[in-house]
Amino acid sequence: MTAHYFIATLKPIPEYHTSENIFPFLNGEAYKERLPFTLPYVYELGGEDIEFIIFLDSIMEIGDVVELYIFEEGRHGYPLSNNFPEESRTINLLKKTYIDQFGEYQLDLKKWKEELSRRTIASKRSVTTFVKY
């Protein structure tokens, strides 16, 4: 089994498209049709949750949206992931809130990155949407 972490963005990530790309992103276009994303630019990523949260917070501007999904492949490339929209999460990086199927949670305004990194932010069962508005 192979797990791929993908993000989709509304606009390209400029840092990814430079020759000095130091971010752990790969092009995710080969998987685009198999992913439940609604946004046009797809990237495969690596790294830890806290690094990813810091990166997102630094590149996202007011009004931006980023989707996150884990795609697991079994033998012969058959997908093991499912999309259950009722289990989706929305994380607002401006208001510092986390919303899941059980409710909305206000994150600590000073320690929100650490607190968010301890929560489930990626899933093979649903898309997590990051917003900044």
Side-chain angles (χ1 to χ4, degrees):
M1 175 179 70
T2 304
H4 302 275
Y5 288 69
F6 289 101
I7 62 169
T9 61
L10 195 54
K11 58 187 180 185
I13 300 172
E15 291 84 351
Y16 171 78
H17 297 281
T18 65
S19 59
E20 299 89 29
N21 178 15
I22 59 168
F23 300 101
F25 288 91
L26 304 170
N27 192 321
E29 291 295 315
Y31 290 87
K32 192 172 185 176
E33 293 185 17
R34 301 169 75 183
L35 300 170
F37 290 139
T38 61
L39 302 175
Y41 298 96
V42 177
Y43 302 94
E44 183 174 357
L45 64 114
E48 299 296 320
D49 286 347
I50 189 74
E51 293 168 353
F52 174 66
I53 293 165
I54 291 168
F55 174 74
L56 272 188
D57 190 44
S58 71
I59 66 158
M60 288 181 73
E61 297 174 359
I62 302 295
D64 280 351
V65 177
V66 172
E67 296 174 329
L68 172 65
Y69 183 69
I70 298 174
F71 182 76
E72 288 188 352
E73 288 181 304
R75 292 181 176 240
H76 309 293
Y78 294 115
L80 299 175
S81 298
N82 297 299
N83 184 30
F84 299 103
E86 65 275 7
E87 295 183 21
S88 66
R89 294 165 191 83
T90 301
I91 299 167
N92 189 322
L93 297 179
L94 184 64
K95 294 181 181 178
K96 312 298 188 257
T97 57
Y98 176 95
I99 303 169
D100 63 11
Q101 65 200 42
F102 304 109
E104 181 174 350
Y105 309 93
Q106 181 67 50
L107 302 170
D108 183 292
L109 296 178
K110 293 182 181 179
K111 301 177 190 174
W112 70 272
K113 293 175 187 171
E114 294 81 12
E115 187 178 343
L116 188 56
S117 71
R118 290 189 298 270
R119 292 186 177 268
T120 301
I121 59 171
S123 172
K124 69 176 187 171
R125 296 178 51 89
S126 65
V127 173
T128 299
T129 304
F130 289 86
V131 297
K132 199 167 196 178
Y133 51 78

